[in-house]
Amino acid sequence: MKKNFGVFALAAITLFASCSNQLYTGNGALSDVSLQRNSSEYEIKRLNEIEVSGKSFWGIPSNSYNANKNKKGMIVRFNGLELGRTPKILPILTMVGYSFGVGGLLQETFGFKDNGDYKIGTVPSILLGLPIAGALNNVTWSGSAFSGATNELNYRLVTDNPNVDVFLNPKYSIDYKMGFWGQSATVKAKVMGATIKSN
């Protein structure tokens, strides 16, 4: 029974953990109304496209892609993409929990010795269960590759365009791939920028 459950769980993980999708979004609904009334006071132009990417392994987001070195970017009233940020500690904690849980199931599956001890020890069972625990954690934290992308995107918009006073009408292209143990995401943003004309 337990062996059948294990085979079913692995098949389910494999089926649901491997996917790829793309998302395109556009927005013009919440542009700054004051720009429309005083459009002659602003110079409006399309800014260079910004691309940010992220990765995660076993559901734990990687910091290697974070070009802004954890500096923060915030654009007030910018109706932008909110991907959410996954605190790295949460996937780590669930990974530890899954490792012990899968290790315990493996101990039960292998059974007991004559003296009542498990045939496989705690540490070997956890090590054997790491690939399964990692796949489960990856499914649990699907989307963790996006972690920090919003922050980096806003940071790049501000630092790459220091003369822009208002950001508006963003359009996004999102490419997301999820594998058995890892995820990757790429976000491309096209944004309009308005600069107050100097007299």
Side-chain angles (χ1 to χ4, degrees):
M1 177 72 175
K2 289 176 183 172
K3 290 182 181 178
N4 291 338
F5 174 76
V7 171
F8 172 75
L10 275 177
I13 291 169
T14 303
L15 179 66
F16 294 113
S18 300
C19 64
S20 174
N21 57 53
Q22 293 182 327
L23 172 66
Y24 298 92
T25 69
N27 175 15
L30 292 181
S31 299
D32 196 319
V33 176
S34 63
L35 290 181
Q36 296 171 5
R37 293 183 189 150
N38 305 307
S39 58
S40 61
E41 297 178 13
Y42 291 89
E43 179 185 343
I44 300 173
K45 65 179 181 178
R46 172 77 58 193
L47 305 177
N48 293 332
E49 182 180 81
I50 292 180
E51 180 178 326
V52 295
S53 59
K55 295 179 182 176
S56 70
F57 183 71
W58 287 354
I60 301 169
S62 167
N63 287 335
S64 61
Y65 67 91
N66 195 349
N68 61 349
K69 305 298 182 196
N70 293 319
K71 294 178 183 174
K72 300 199 179 293
M74 180 185 296
I75 299 176
V76 180
R77 292 187 65 198
F78 181 48
N79 187 25
L81 186 67
E82 185 55 58
L83 297 172
R85 187 176 181 93
T86 303
K88 203 169 188 178
I89 189 66
L90 297 179
I92 291 173
L93 291 174
T94 55
M95 181 64 189
V96 170
Y98 279 133
S99 298
F100 277 97
V102 172
L105 284 175
L106 286 175
Q107 284 183 310
E108 293 288 333
T109 302
F110 280 99
F112 297 91
K113 298 177 184 176
D114 292 336
N115 64 2
D117 292 336
Y118 286 114
K119 288 183 179 178
I120 183 171
T122 302
V123 173
S125 68
I126 289 173
L127 293 176
L128 283 172
L130 274 178
I132 299 170
L136 289 169
N137 208 46
N138 191 47
V139 171
T140 301
W141 293 100
S142 60
S144 62
F146 287 122
S147 182
T150 302
N151 182 50
E152 185 174 350
L153 188 66
N154 288 344
Y155 178 83
R156 290 273 308 280
L157 277 171
V158 172
T159 56
D160 291 1
N161 305 285
N163 296 325
V164 172
D165 297 305
V166 180
F167 297 98
L168 59 153
N169 296 343
K171 295 179 182 176
Y172 300 99
S173 168
I174 302 170
D175 187 12
Y176 175 72
K177 294 177 182 165
M178 184 166 175
F180 192 72
W181 285 315
Q183 306 167 39
S184 64
T186 302
V187 181
K188 296 179 183 178
K190 293 181 180 178
V191 180
M192 300 291 288
T195 305
I196 299 174
K197 293 179 181 176
S198 55
N199 295 330

